[in-house]
Amino acid sequence: MYKLLSVVVVIAIVIPTLTLAVTPFRSCPNGAPTPETFEVDGCTALPCTITRGQPMRAVGRNLVSLVSTSTVEAYIDFFLGGLDLGIPTPPEIVDACANGIDFCPLVQDESFDYTFFKEDIQMDVSGITVLIRVGLRDGDVQIGCIEFDGTIV
């Protein structure tokens, strides 16, 4: 009986640890709120590897909105040496309420998750490490923002 209980306890501790793949991130310079955790598929250390033409999925969990709003715009920017590379945010992810937020409208002081998913990352650069900034806003109001490093391959 005790062996079975020991096995159950070990499984209960190990399985959640194996599935949790937290990606390190930094706060944005604009002071926007950050999620409790951030996960990029397959990335547990920076820089993350971002493969051109392949899907990219990232999840911010437990982000607390500072405002109530039904209009949330997602953006993603790429920087090299402090310079914005000018790569436009894919239009299909801009409306975060329709694509990525688990529920809208957002309610002030309530947490939510945001999933960024892009079927294929199209970039004209390769072999460089860039700063990637992913954020959410309602007009000029920043709802959330994180930065992480990624190497484009």
Side-chain angles (χ1 to χ4, degrees):
M1 179 69 173
Y2 288 110
K3 281 186 178 184
L4 179 60
L5 183 58
S6 297
V7 170
V8 170
V9 169
V10 168
I11 289 172
I13 292 171
V14 171
I15 288 180
T17 304
L18 293 175
T19 59
L20 184 63
V22 176
T23 303
F25 68 91
R26 296 179 297 279
S27 300
C28 292
N30 62 15
T34 60
E36 185 176 300
T37 62
F38 178 68
E39 304 155 18
V40 175
D41 281 354
C43 180
T44 58
L46 298 180
C48 296
T49 299
I50 309 298
T51 305
R52 294 179 332 153
Q54 296 297 312
M56 178 180 165
R57 181 178 174 271
V59 180
R61 299 190 191 284
N62 295 319
L63 181 61
V64 176
S65 180
L66 299 179
V67 296
S68 294
T69 182
S70 58
T71 306
V72 183
E73 176 187 347
Y75 62 92
I76 182 167
D77 297 318
F78 298 87
F79 298 87
L80 179 62
L83 299 173
D84 188 340
L85 295 177
I87 299 168
T89 299
E92 64 271 19
I93 70 161
V94 171
D95 182 353
C97 282
N99 188 1
I101 292 179
D102 49 1
F103 63 88
C104 273
L106 297 181
V107 177
Q108 183 175 353
D109 298 327
E110 288 191 13
S111 67
F112 65 96
D113 295 344
Y114 171 67
T115 302
F116 168 88
F117 179 77
K118 178 69 176 106
E119 189 65 39
D120 58 339
I121 298 295
Q122 297 296 326
M123 304 183 81
D124 294 330
V125 296
S126 184
I128 62 170
T129 299
V130 296
L131 180 143
I132 302 169
R133 183 178 294 155
V134 179
L136 301 170
R137 63 184 165 221
D138 177 11
D140 292 334
V141 177
Q142 292 293 318
I143 295 172
C145 184
I146 59 95
E147 294 181 343
F148 66 100
D149 300 318
T151 301
I152 311 300
V153 297

